[in-house]
Amino acid sequence: MTDHTSQSAAAQAEADKGYWSANVRIIIISLIIWALVSFGFGILLRPALAGISVGGTDIGFWFAQQGSIIVFLALIFFYAWRMNKLDKEYGVEEE
């Protein structure tokens, strides 16, 4: 293995590490947002949110029934958009 080949392999390994690090960071942030909205707002913070009305019911109930689903769908689209952008940055986009 030549010196140039080992440098190229090292650069590729570093790029792979950066790509997966960014991917895992996006996943963790998305999961934290989803947990906060579904479990936090829908269950834990529901008594604190009881005074805020949305569509004839309190916002805690709304998050438990509809808001967490809407946020989950938004996170799916955000993840797909951000991963396409990340794929282009690292040159691994689909053809």
Side-chain angles (χ1 to χ4, degrees):
M1 188 180 239
T2 65
D3 188 42
H4 176 67
T5 306
S6 64
Q7 288 177 351
S8 177
Q12 182 62 40
E14 191 65 32
D16 290 347
K17 185 179 178 183
Y19 175 83
W20 285 107
S21 175
N23 185 1
V24 169
R25 185 174 48 250
I26 293 168
I27 291 171
I28 289 172
I29 290 169
S30 296
L31 287 173
I32 289 170
I33 291 170
W34 186 44
L36 177 67
V37 169
S38 62
F39 189 70
F41 292 166
I43 298 171
L44 296 177
L45 297 175
R46 184 162 182 224
L49 299 173
I52 303 170
S53 180
V54 171
T57 187
D58 68 272
I59 198 167
F61 180 78
W62 183 85
F63 270 114
Q65 297 301 312
Q66 296 168 339
S68 60
I69 296 169
I70 293 169
V71 170
F72 181 67
L73 290 174
L75 285 171
I76 290 171
F77 285 107
F78 167 76
Y79 179 77
W81 169 77
R82 186 62 183 103
M83 284 308 298
N84 284 334
K85 191 174 173 182
L86 192 66
D87 287 350
K88 287 178 186 174
E89 287 177 24
Y90 284 90
V92 293
E93 70 270 13
E94 296 178 9
E95 295 178 11

